[in-house]
Amino acid sequence: MAEVAAAAVGAVLDVNTAGNTTDMMAYLHDENTDGETTNLNLGELDLTTDEFILDEVDIHIQANLEDDLVKEALKTGVDLRQYSKQVESELQRIEQASIKDYIKESQNIALLHNQITACDSILERMEGMLSGFQSDLSSISSEIQTLQQQSVSMNVRLKNRQAVRSHLSQLVDELVVPGTMISTILDSPVTEQEFLEQLHELNNKINFAKELSFRETLACTDIQDIVDRLKLKAVSKIREFILQKIYSFRKPMTNYQIPQNTLLKYRFFYQFLLANERTVAKEIRDEYVDTMSKIYCSYFKSYSGRLLKVQYEEVADKDDLMGVEDTAKKGFFSKPSLKSRNTIFTVGQRGAILSPADLEGPILVPHTAQRGDSRYPYETLFRSQHYALLDNGCREFLFLSDFFMVTGNSALDLFNSIMGKTLSMFLKSLSTYVSDCYDSIAVFLCIHIVLRFRAITAKRTIPALDKYWEAVLELLLPRFELILEMNIHSIRNTDPQRLGVLDTRPHYITRRYAEFSSAIVSINQTFPNERTNTLLGQLLVEVENFVLKMAAEFPSRRDQLIFLMNNYDMMLSVLMERAADDSKEVEGFQQLLLARTQEFIEEILSPPFGGMISFVKEAEALMEKGQLDQLKNDEARITQLVRGFSSTWKQSVESMSQDVMRSFTNFKNGTSIIQGALTQLIQYYHGFHKILNQPAFRSLAVRSELINLHHLMVEVKKHKPNF
């Protein structure tokens, strides 16, 4: 209602602008949104003031007229004066009711007031307490920071003191020489474990004292005297111990490897001497080098001399060459010849020495071999001698590297100073032997023994003997090439007319070549040598030429072919036993044998079946030209061929088979030749059938006398020998 009244007042001001100003003032009331009525200040509407601006009043009135309540009041036509009084009375009544309510609730209000006052006092005290807590916390925080700083400072001081304490403790421990060390170094034998342990400690104290002396630490002077005395005592005892072990090597029949193993257990002794008394260390090293150099030289000189006593007495000389005839005579003062020169060119069981079991087997014991009256070829002695050198050399190099603590060139120089005399003696002895050696198999086996021993030392990573192996190969390889060239020249210069009675069987020179070539080729497969292969190729050419020259000495072509085939077959058989099937030598002789076999088959078929063969070849040539009619008038010839073959072929085949088996030493080769001949005969007879089936000869009556081809094949199989 108050809002309606205010709106009505605004409307009256707008409509009755000329009305009584006093009445207007009586009704001007404004009510706020909370229900309270606020009277307008009439001073604000003073019409007599010069500041009153009608435009502003007009704007205020227009704004009130826009109010919904004022619009409603104006629309319904309410009496604003009456309504204003009514509102005023209601307000007074509400005011009186409110006063009564306040009076009625005065006690509660007073109680509430007291409670609020009490709460205020409590809150005030709490505020004071919290303020006190805040100030206390501030002071505690500062104290904590102070304590933290003090803790950090104390921690730093503690670490510094601990570091100083550890250094000082280590320094004191290193400086103090305990009584146990003194008594052990002075009284205990050097072989006891306690002496070795105290020697390690003494070495550490000596090194520590040197380090402190560089820093000019005064404390080291307190122990320098006693440390020096202990060092001199230890050096003296160690020197005496090692020299005793070295002198024990010199005793006859001493196994020097045992004291060497003992020295390796105390290798720190030499390390101690090398670090603290180099003069004594050099003395010991020089004494060891001198002693072991003499021992090795004496041992291997004696061993090599005894080995030569069990060598074969019969050795090859310059006349024992591949092309020398067995009937060659020597002078009156020449030494007896070998029982058989073929043994010079045959490897036999000698090649077994290259097998791993024999190559690294036990060395020969000369006096045992002499008691058993055993004899050995040179390569066996060479293997035993050099395997002993390899075994002792590898062991010595490892000992030197370990005990004397040397590596690289220093180790090689020290090894050469010990083994140099022995190696020089070996090379001199080998040079003497090689200069007068004509046993090419022995030299070649020695070459491959060296190659395998060199591979063993490389596998063991022992470079000490590498130069020696090279020197040995430089002696052996040229000698082997020279002997091989001498054999090549001997075959090239051989006069077939001086080799005795002609024989179609395999010649002894070709057998020598076959045995020798198969041996060299089989051995050379593991470590191929191009120079050796080249010389073998030259030897092969000379042998082929020699076989052809020998075959030319036979008057008949048949004997020539038998000689060639027997020699080719023999060489091929021997080569295939040892050499690879795809080797140059094997393939070459296979081709030569095949060509000569085909020629020989034609040769043996010609006497009994030559007429038929020539007729078949002639007719086939005319058939190709289409001129077969030229043979129509040869009926008599054809009749003779058909009847002759039918009546004599069995006897001819039997005779041919027997003749072939007598002519060839290798039954297997003879069998293959017979089979090839019979196969070729059937092919010719099949061609003969084919020709007579041509229109030009179909009218011949003799065709009925031809042997059935299938029947002929069955009969021919009966004549095939089985070996």
Side-chain angles (χ1 to χ4, degrees), residues 299-300 303 363 383-393 453:
Y299 166 74
F300 279 107
Y303 183 67
I363 63 174
R383 196 282 316 177
S384 184
Q385 181 187 46
H386 282 79
Y387 187 69
L389 174 65
L390 180 148
D391 190 48
N392 286 274
F453 281 168

Side-chain angles (χ1 to χ4, degrees), residues 111-255:
L111 180 59
L112 178 61
H113 176 72
N114 293 334
Q115 291 176 352
I116 291 173
T117 303
C119 288
D120 286 341
S121 62
I122 293 172
L123 291 174
E124 185 176 359
R125 288 197 304 274
M126 290 180 65
E127 182 179 4
M129 291 172 63
L130 292 175
S131 298
F133 289 158
Q134 183 176 7
S135 61
D136 292 341
L137 288 174
S138 299
S139 61
I140 290 173
S141 176
S142 62
E143 291 177 1
I144 290 174
Q145 291 178 352
T146 304
L147 291 174
Q148 186 177 8
Q149 293 174 356
Q150 292 176 356
S151 175
V152 171
S153 177
M154 292 174 66
N155 190 29
V156 171
R157 290 198 297 272
L158 176 62
K159 288 183 178 179
N160 292 336
R161 290 179 181 179
Q162 289 177 343
V164 172
R165 179 180 179 180
S166 64
H167 287 296
L168 288 176
S169 176
Q170 182 180 0
L171 178 63
V172 172
D173 291 341
E174 294 291 345
L175 287 174
V176 172
V177 180
T180 306
M181 176 183 293
I182 297 173
S183 61
T184 302
I185 296 296
L186 294 178
D187 302 329
S188 297
V190 296
T191 55
E192 291 188 0
Q193 182 64 26
E194 186 178 0
F195 180 87
L196 185 60
E197 294 174 356
Q198 294 300 328
L199 188 66
H200 277 280
E201 292 296 328
L202 177 60
N203 189 56
N204 293 333
K205 292 187 182 299
I206 294 172
N207 294 333
F208 189 71
K210 290 179 182 178
E211 183 181 352
L212 291 181
S213 64
F214 292 145
R215 300 179 184 175
E216 298 181 357
T217 303
L218 298 178
C220 71
T221 57
D222 296 338
I223 64 165
Q224 191 66 48
D225 182 58
I226 188 171
V227 168
D228 290 342
R229 291 182 182 180
L230 289 175
K231 180 181 73 173
L232 291 176
K233 183 63 177 177
V235 168
S236 175
K237 295 177 72 173
I238 291 172
R239 175 183 177 276
E240 182 181 359
F241 170 75
I242 296 179
L243 288 179
Q244 284 180 354
K245 292 297 180 185
I246 293 175
Y247 293 152
S248 68
F249 295 170
R250 303 176 180 179
K251 296 179 181 179
M253 306 301 292
T254 298
N255 185 358

Side-chain angles (χ1 to χ4, degrees), residues 351 353-355 359 379 382-383 440-456 469 472-473 476-477 480 519-529 532-533:
I353 198 171
L354 298 178
S355 64
L359 188 68
E379 66 272 7
F382 180 88
R383 196 282 316 177
S440 54
I441 296 290
V443 175
F444 197 65
L445 286 172
C446 290
I447 290 172
H448 280 263
I449 289 172
V450 171
L451 293 174
R452 284 161 173 79
F453 281 168
R454 185 172 65 177
I456 291 173
W469 299 135
V472 172
L473 290 176
L476 294 176
L477 281 171
F480 173 73
I520 299 301
V521 169
S522 62
I523 295 171
N524 200 45
Q525 289 174 351
T526 306
F527 294 93
N529 182 278
T532 301
N533 291 333

Side-chain angles (χ1 to χ4, degrees), residues 36 86 101 103 132 140 278 289 298 374 407 442 462 611 662 675:
E36 295 180 357
Q86 183 181 352
D101 290 338
I103 293 172
I140 290 173
R278 287 185 173 271
V289 169
S298 174
S374 300
T407 57
I462 305 295
R662 285 194 301 267
Q675 291 177 350

